[in-house]
Amino acid sequence: MPENKPRDVVDDGTGTTTLTSPVPKLGYITRGATFLLGVFVMSVGIALSVHGQLGTAPISTFPAVVDAASSWSVGTVSAVMNVVFVFMQMLILQRRFRLFQLVQLPIALVFGAVIDLSFCLTSWAQVDHYLLQWVVTIIGALILGLGVYIQIQPKLLYLPGEGLVVALTQVSTVRFGTMKQVVDWSLVVISAVLSLVLMQRLEGVREGTVFAAFAVGGVVKTLDSLNQRRRKSYTSDR
């Protein structure tokens, strides 16, 4: 008899595809709280990367550009962008879009709100010295990677950005990791062009963007490897 419970695709941050089987009931409250914790940690990483002024992770480049060119905050633009991502999923998948994934809409709003909150909490991190900007950028990328890792642990939901990538993979033959790179770097190119058109300079897309693109995935991969080793060690000791 086929399994009735859904299986989701989760980005492990390393460019690979993970199909998650239905997870044992650990309690939706606990799993939801872990997911939200990961979202908050991610928001701190995003805020720090923007404060570093050397470019943000690819998914945050567009909000960072609009923030620099207008009175809209990064959190507000992120919320709107993620809501658009959900509607894009609906258009792409049509009848294959699961109604449960509409929960991404409130998640998009929550994510935007906590990003703006994190901006307030990390306002002290905005510096002008280039070396210190790199320090803030590196710390931001590491924290963002930690947040991504925490966010995917409950295997409960995914943020709209990942949801869009999943939708595109479902209607094409392109692997999840490849499609994620295409979407991420498409956002970077669009953001860079928009920045040059609106401000005649690059804002939100700089050398820090390239660093973050590799560092975030590296952090997730490293944490996952450490966790796997811990589990194997625990199993062998029993």
Side-chain angles (χ1 to χ4, degrees), residues 201-221:
R201 66 180 189 276
L202 285 176
E203 287 285 347
V205 184
R206 287 184 54 183
E207 56 269 38
T209 300
V210 178
F211 171 79
F214 293 99
V216 172
V219 169
V220 176
K221 185 175 181 179

Side-chain angles (χ1 to χ4, degrees), residues 106-128:
I107 288 174
L109 301 180
V110 170
F111 192 34
V114 293
I115 288 176
D116 282 344
L117 173 62
S118 294
F119 260 86
C120 294
L121 296 176
T122 59
S123 58
W124 50 269
Q126 191 158 355
V127 291
D128 295 325

Side-chain angles (χ1 to χ4, degrees), residues 7-36:
R7 294 161 62 89
D8 290 324
V9 182
V10 176
D11 173 27
D12 66 358
T14 64
T16 59
T17 305
T18 304
L19 279 173
T20 64
S21 301
V23 209
K25 291 184 178 179
L26 302 175
Y28 283 106
I29 294 179
T30 301
R31 291 163 62 194
T34 302
F35 175 82
L36 291 175

Side-chain angles (χ1 to χ4, degrees), residues 6 40 71 93 124 130 158 162 199 201 225:
F40 176 72
S71 59
L93 295 176
W124 50 269
Y130 186 70
Y158 35 67
E162 279 65 44
M199 296 173 286
R201 66 180 189 276
S225 297

